[in-house]
Structure formats: structure tokens, C-alpha cells
Amino acid sequence: MTAIVQIAGVALAAGLVWIPVREAAGRRYFAFRRARQLGARLYAERAHQIGFASVEEREGGVYRGLPAAADVVARAVAAPEGLSWQALVACQDELFLVVQGMGAEILPEGDRIFSGEVAARQTCAAKTDWNTQWATPGLLPGARELRFEHAAVRVGDLARLRAVPFGGAGASRRAIMVVAVLIATLCTTLVWLQSAGAPEPVLEALAPNPPPEPVWVAEGVAPGDFVARCLDAQAAFPPVLPQMWRLKNVGCYADASHRHELSALAPEQGAMVATWSTAPEANRALARRIAERRLGAWPRGQVIGGEAWAAVRFESPVQSWEGEAPRAAEFRRAVDRALATVSDDLRFTYADEMTFEARTGLALSELGRRLEGIEWLDMREAVWLEGRWTVRGSLVRRRPVTVEQEEMG
């Protein structure tokens, strides 16, 4: 939940969810769609991200116009592209802010507030392979000093909270006000005409507003970007445990909201999940202790008996397609040309949508390269099992999204 913190005596909004933006052209509709998924009423824009704030409706006016605290911290850190960083900031009223990012971007869940120093420092210590760490002086041993001047948090181009576009609440209030003014004007006119002795006018019923027209969108996860995110996750968190553990499978999922290991995921938020089992000859007690220590570096992980799992989230790079969709036969030929000669098994299904599943010993990076040029391909998942990758995807389908015409303007 978003809250207000004070840094250098200036009120800032903290606790936002930061989502990367694909392109500038569709930022307003992107903000509207993701806000509905996250239950957010306000949002703030950065260069390549949008931060979503969940606040009570009655508090919306208090938050509007506030700069985002994480944006202030990211500007102060000014990390080079490709370097990971985290910052621990002591705020007023015994609150502590932890911001984590990669280069100029803030991680999707890298904007968190803590009411105690101990919990904040434990969060910073949970993962130790950040390229740089920053903190309020004297707060985090070994971290670089992070100081804020009053003027630094009041610059004009900071990311500031505003109402979600197409939100409906403002449009509804405007419509109510217009109707009220029309009714008042009509009543005044009738009273004047009656007092003047003029015949009463014949009123015709106003024609109802036409139903809102649907906006057709075609979106999916591009295979090249999906594979790159999956490989980046494997590089950052190698799915490797000592020899007393055997890797069962590794899976990357474009929509991981159904995975029991990752509760409360937003739609279209992806993840890499790895599972292991102990070798028959292994000492289970020793194996558990070693695995628990190793998996402590992962964002999520658990050891249960002779089984272990670990997971790391990543944002699925959703892409929009324009123009005419390819026919099913054309899409199948494109997938066939890319995978048929290198797959042990390639299957297509035609139910509510056209999907495919391929099992191959080809490296995942090569699979991504082969599928990258296929238009309207929505990548679903890539799972490694017994030395083979199984990839699943589908032909993107258009779907209607209804938005009021006035709000679309």
C-alpha cells in the first residue's frame, strides 16, 4: 500500500509498483489497463516506467501532485546502465524506505516502506550481490553515503502522482454536474414561461447516448524478449545446488500468476521457477541445511523434506501488434519452418485459440532466435526437463476493450 514519507522535510509518495513501458505511443492506455489489474487509482511516469499507487479513494486528493520517493532516490543514485543497486533511506517519523533498481530503472517491487530499522536492514541484507549499495550515513555498514538536500526533492521534472487516465470517476462527476446544470436551466425556463402566460413547450425525450465502442487490441509476449528475460534470470540466479541435489526442472512462465510458489502476482507478470530433489544416497538433514543456505539468496525459495524449489520474478515484455493478423495456416507454416527440423515433437491445437508445443534439445537462446521473427506469436512458457526444452506459444487473438468515447479523447 502506498504511503507518504518525508525526506529532507518534503512529503513524497512511497510504496509504488514500477512497471516498464514498451513504447511512448500507448502510455495512457497502458497506464489505464495495468492500473485496473493492480487496483491502483494514481500513477507516476518516468522515462521508461510507470509507477502505480494504491490509495483509498478519499485520500486521492492528498496524494495527487506528490513526487515519487523512489524517483528521487534513483536520480540521486544515478547508477550506470546494467548495474544493480539498492538504497536504504531513513525518513521522518521512524519510517525507512528501501529502493532497488537496475541502472536508471526501479525494480517492479523495489519501492518498499518499513516501520522499523531492523526489518529494513534485514531486507537489504537478504541479497548481497548488488553492484552498489547506498544508504543514509551511518545506517548500512559499507554502503555509500546518500544525502538529500531540500531543493533536490522539489525539482519540477520529478515523477508526480496523477489520476489514472480513463478512470471514470472524474468523467462521472463531470457528467453529473452537466446534467444538474441542464435540469436547473430547464426548470428555470419552465417557471419563467408559466409566469409569462406562454403555452407550455412540448418536450421531447433526449436520445440515449450510444453504447461505447470497443477498442480492439492484440497483445502478446514476443518470443525474443521472453527468452532474453528467461536467460537473464538464469544468469542472475543460476539454478544450481550441490551434487546431493538433482535438478528436476526449470521453467520460465510469461504469466506466472497460477504458480503456487508465487502468490499475489499481477497478470502478465512472469517468473523463473526451479525445482530439485535429493539424491537417493544423500544425507537429507545435511542436504536441507545446505539448500536452505543457498536458496536464501533467491527472492523466494523453500526446502520441504527431500524437495526444494526457488523462484525469481521478471516482467513479461508485452508487445502490441497492428494491422491484419496472419491466417492460421500462415502462422503454422512459420512455426514449422522455425522448429520442425529441430524438434522431437511439434504439436498444434485448434480450440478457442491456435496453440503449439515443441520439445527439442536445442539451446533456449537458439530457440528464441528462430522464433523471434514470427509475427503475432504470443510466447507462454519454456520448461527444461530431462535435458530437453518444451516451449509453448499461441497465435495472438484480438480482444475488445470497452472505453468511453469521451475518455478516449
Side-chain angles (χ1 to χ4, degrees):
M1 191 74 175
T2 305
I4 296 176
V5 298
Q6 290 195 20
I7 300 176
V10 179
L12 304 169
L16 280 67
V17 178
W18 295 95
I19 306 297
V21 182
R22 300 185 303 278
E23 55 185 18
R27 288 176 77 98
R28 294 190 72 219
Y29 181 68
F30 176 83
F32 161 70
R33 182 171 59 83
R34 294 311 296 267
R36 288 197 308 174
Q37 296 168 350
L38 297 171
R41 297 182 179 276
L42 302 173
Y43 78 110
E45 291 190 53
R46 302 184 74 237
H48 304 292
Q49 289 182 284
I50 294 181
F52 295 92
S54 299
V55 302
E56 298 292 339
E57 184 173 4
R58 57 185 173 80
E59 297 177 342
V62 178
Y63 282 85
R64 288 192 188 185
L66 286 182
D71 183 45
V72 173
V73 174
R75 290 167 181 262
V77 169
E81 187 67 27
L83 292 184
S84 62
W85 56 271
Q86 72 170 349
L88 175 58
V89 183
C91 308
Q92 295 176 12
D93 301 323
E94 300 298 321
L95 294 177
F96 294 85
L97 172 66
V98 175
V99 182
Q100 299 166 333
M102 179 70 72
E105 291 192 356
I106 303 162
L107 297 183
E109 295 184 344
D111 181 1
R112 286 176 284 175
I113 313 162
F114 297 88
S115 58
E117 179 181 343
V118 174
R121 293 181 64 173
Q122 287 177 345
T123 298
C124 290
K127 183 173 178 286
T128 59
D129 59 347
W130 300 101
N131 294 123
T132 57
Q133 294 194 89
W134 297 77
T136 300
L139 191 57
L140 191 63
R144 300 185 184 183
E145 289 190 355
L146 189 59
R147 299 179 183 271
F148 294 95
E149 300 294 337
H150 186 277
V153 295
R154 282 197 175 277
V155 295
D157 61 343
L158 289 174
R160 296 178 181 273
L161 292 184
R162 64 180 74 176
V164 170
F166 318 139
S172 300
R173 284 194 293 270
R174 291 193 300 272
I176 292 172
M177 290 178 64
V178 170
V179 172
V181 171
L182 289 175
I183 292 174
T185 303
L186 180 60
C187 291
T188 302
T189 304
L190 288 174
V191 170
W192 180 82
L193 289 173
Q194 289 176 352
S195 64
E200 295 184 4
V202 178
L203 300 178
E204 295 184 1
L206 296 176
N209 291 329
E213 296 183 1
V215 177
W216 290 87
V217 297
E219 295 180 329
V221 179
D225 290 338
F226 171 78
V227 169
R229 299 294 178 97
C230 181
L231 294 175
D232 288 346
Q234 292 180 50
F237 295 91
V240 177
L241 287 180
Q243 291 184 353
M244 61 184 65
W245 288 93
R246 293 179 177 175
L247 181 64
K248 294 172 62 177
N249 63 67
V250 179
C252 287
Y253 307 91
D255 180 358
S257 57
H258 66 285
R259 298 293 305 189
H260 68 87
E261 300 94 343
L262 295 157
S263 59
L265 270 178
E268 299 171 5
Q269 191 170 18
M272 179 185 75
V273 182
T275 61
W276 297 265
S277 61
T278 53
E281 67 277 6
N283 182 317
R284 284 200 171 187
L286 177 61
R288 280 197 300 271
R289 288 197 296 271
I290 293 176
E292 287 171 352
R293 187 165 59 249
R294 292 286 184 90
L295 297 183
W298 287 65
R300 294 199 178 188
Q302 192 172 5
V303 182
I304 305 175
E307 304 289 328
W309 64 264
V312 57
R313 301 178 181 183
F314 57 80
E315 185 63 24
S316 295
V318 179
Q319 173 179 324
S320 298
W321 279 271
E322 302 293 341
E324 293 296 325
R327 295 192 300 271
E330 296 173 341
F331 179 77
R332 175 166 183 159
R333 280 197 297 270
V335 176
D336 267 328
R337 282 195 294 267
L339 299 180
T341 59
V342 295
S343 298
D344 300 334
D345 188 20
L346 176 58
R347 301 178 183 179
F348 293 87
T349 58
Y350 302 83
D352 294 335
E353 57 183 353
M354 181 178 183
T355 61
F356 72 88
E357 177 179 314
R359 188 169 183 268
T360 174
L362 207 62
L364 184 59
S365 58
E366 178 63 17
L367 286 172
R369 189 190 67 78
R370 285 173 171 264
L371 294 173
E372 189 171 13
I374 302 177
E375 295 184 348
W376 294 70
L377 194 163
D378 182 17
M379 196 73 173
R380 301 292 178 81
E381 61 185 54
V383 179
W384 179 90
L385 177 66
E386 297 179 351
R388 293 285 188 273
W389 282 100
T390 299
V391 293
R392 298 181 178 89
S394 68
L395 173 62
V396 173
R397 296 181 60 192
R398 289 184 182 273
R399 70 180 191 279
V401 177
T402 303
V403 181
E404 294 182 10
Q405 289 180 337
E406 178 185 357
E407 294 174 339
M408 286 292 292

